[in-house]
Amino acid sequence: MSNHAINADQAPKPVGLYPHARKVGNLLFLSGVGPRQANTNIIPGVELDSNGKIVSYDIEAQCHSVFQNIKLILAASNASWNDLIDVTVFLTNMDDDFVIYNRIYAEYFSDNQPCRTTVEINKLPTPIAIELKCIASISVN
């Protein structure tokens, strides 16, 4: 069974020692994907103080950005949005952000409805409010 790492040049670089995705057989496992823009440290909709702490953020901007980053990684993996079969979503503020995130999620997943789990967590490794962990089922090359 094939097992190889995939990195997408167009997507933001991982913040640690891990690939964007790993293909094992016909499954594609994406590492946690956040909304940071490629080739920068810019996080759409985020305002930071001088210590790098979040002052304010726009969850809608982050949702659109993280979904775009996932599309870039899928494309680099010869997969598509419709190949997604499972999505785990990490939010740092379920009370304020879930309704907005859920509305935007429904827009992106109107045709393909993978299994989904959404959990609130205390914090993420970078100053972001959302991260997705995905699994796709794709053709074996």
Side-chain angles (χ1 to χ4, degrees):
M1 180 178 303
S2 68
N3 176 344
H4 67 278
I6 299 165
N7 284 297
D9 293 336
Q10 304 84 356
K13 292 189 186 316
V15 295
L17 185 59
Y18 56 86
H20 283 121
R22 181 166 292 279
K23 184 176 175 185
V24 180
N26 72 324
L27 294 177
L28 180 69
F29 300 88
L30 275 65
S31 296
V33 179
R36 192 168 34 91
Q37 293 178 346
N39 302 315
T40 73
N41 288 321
I42 295 171
I43 303 166
V46 174
E47 180 184 348
L48 302 175
D49 67 15
S50 60
N51 296 319
K53 301 292 182 188
I54 298 173
V55 174
S56 66
Y57 67 93
D58 177 349
I59 190 64
E60 187 165 347
Q62 287 195 41
C63 288
H64 289 295
S65 185
V66 74
F67 292 153
Q68 180 60 36
N69 288 340
I70 289 169
K71 286 181 178 186
L72 292 170
I73 294 167
L74 289 169
S77 305
N78 295 317
S80 74
W81 193 255
N82 288 331
D83 293 326
L84 290 170
I85 59 171
D86 189 65
V87 177
T88 302
V89 181
F90 302 96
L91 294 175
T92 60
N93 187 339
M94 190 77 73
D95 290 341
D96 292 341
D97 297 342
F98 182 80
V99 171
I100 298 166
Y101 141 75
N102 201 41
R103 174 181 49 79
I104 296 167
Y105 184 97
E107 293 170 14
Y108 281 82
F109 288 98
S110 62
D111 294 331
N112 177 33
Q113 297 176 2
C115 294
R116 180 182 92 177
T117 302
T118 304
V119 295
E120 180 180 51
I121 60 170
N122 181 1
K123 109 187 237 192
L124 288 158
T126 59
I128 58 177
I130 185 171
E131 183 173 286
L132 270 65
K133 173 86 174 98
C134 304
I135 301 172
S137 177
I138 56 176
S139 299
V140 178
N141 293 337

